[in-house]
């Protein structure tokens, strides 16, 4: 049985392996994934082109989870959906088209991005699995606590140290 056929079971197993138990803030789950992947995982609120409301950019230096600002529970669900892609081991899309990347994140150098995990539709098995896992996470595992500006700011400072420029960097 793979992550796509039973995403909730897979997420439960992955959370146990990460040492995440009970209900936790998004930041705690992000930190556990960051530790496991041995690189920073940054959650960054950005303006995304419609109909995109979230994406994970996999770079050499860091994983950057971008999400559109909006209604609190929608934002939490979007972040959970993108984290679910990482929890489920989804491969995403290899980015060969620099124009696509520039549209999503014009401040990030296309050469630095290896893969994109994003939600535009629920037409693929990976997107459906991530949506099921996100619904489970929001309903059962994540506290209704969004990343604070202070937490986001701290992680963006670490971005500069890693040599990866993000929105607002100069």
């Amino acid at each position: 049985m793979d992550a796509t056929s039973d995403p909730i079971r897979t997420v439960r197993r992955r959370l146990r392996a990460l040492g995440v138990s009970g209900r936790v803030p998004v930041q705690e789950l992000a930190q556990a994934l960051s530790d496991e992947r041995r690189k920073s995982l940054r959650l960054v609120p950005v303006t995304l082109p419609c109909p995109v409301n979230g994406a994970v950019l996999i770079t050499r230096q860091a994983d950057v989870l971008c999400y559109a600002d909006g209604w609190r529970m929608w934002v939490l669900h979007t972040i959970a959906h993108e984290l679910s892609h990482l929890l489920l081991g989804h491969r995403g899309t290899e980015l060969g088209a620099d124009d696509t990347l520039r549209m999503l994140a014009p401040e990030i150098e296309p050469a630095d991005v290896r893969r994109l995990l994003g939600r535009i539709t629920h037409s693929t098995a990976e997107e459906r699995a991530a949506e099921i896992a996100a619904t489970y996470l929001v309903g059962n595992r994540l506290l209704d606590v969004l990343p604070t500006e202070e937490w986001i700011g701290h992680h963006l400072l670490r971005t500069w140290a890693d040599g990866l420029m993000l929105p607002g960097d100069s």
Side-chain angles (χ1 to χ4, degrees):
M1 184 168 297
D2 68 6
T4 303
S5 64
D6 194 349
I8 293 174
R9 178 178 289 168
T10 301
V11 166
R12 285 179 178 155
R13 182 178 42 79
R14 293 280 293 121
L15 292 173
R16 279 191 307 273
L18 290 169
V20 175
S21 61
R23 285 188 169 277
V24 298
V26 167
Q27 296 95 309
E28 187 174 320
L29 178 53
Q31 187 60 56
L33 279 166
S34 174
D35 293 346
E36 179 193 58
R37 295 168 67 81
R38 294 190 173 121
K39 61 180 175 175
S40 297
L41 171 58
R42 298 186 181 90
L43 281 60
V44 183
V46 296
T47 301
L48 294 169
C50 205
V52 178
N53 52 12
V56 179
L57 300 171
I58 309 296
T59 73
R60 290 176 195 90
Q61 300 92 348
D63 297 329
V64 182
L65 189 157
C66 303
Y67 60 94
D69 201 8
W71 177 55
R72 178 180 195 78
M73 286 307 294
W74 180 69
V75 170
L76 184 63
H77 188 86
T78 298
I79 293 170
H81 178 99
E82 303 310 331
L83 290 172
S84 292
H85 279 302
L86 296 175
L87 287 166
L88 295 169
H90 291 165
R91 298 294 301 158
T93 303
E94 293 287 337
L95 283 180
D98 289 353
D99 293 339
T100 302
L101 178 59
R102 283 193 179 95
M103 178 185 76
L104 291 173
E107 297 82 6
I108 297 177
E109 282 298 317
D112 287 336
V113 177
R114 297 158 102 180
R115 286 183 283 132
L116 170 71
L117 295 164
R119 170 173 57 170
I120 296 175
T121 69
H122 300 296
S123 61
T124 68
E126 281 191 354
E127 286 303 314
R128 286 189 298 273
E131 192 62 18
I132 291 166
T135 301
Y136 167 75
L137 286 172
V138 170
N140 299 284
R141 300 307 296 270
L142 293 176
L143 293 172
D144 180 14
V145 178
L146 295 178
T148 62
E149 287 184 28
E150 179 181 351
W151 187 84
I152 291 169
H154 168 75
H155 283 77
L156 289 179
L157 286 175
R158 289 183 51 207
T159 299
W160 178 81
D162 290 344
L164 179 66
M165 302 300 278
L166 291 176
D169 292 345
S170 53

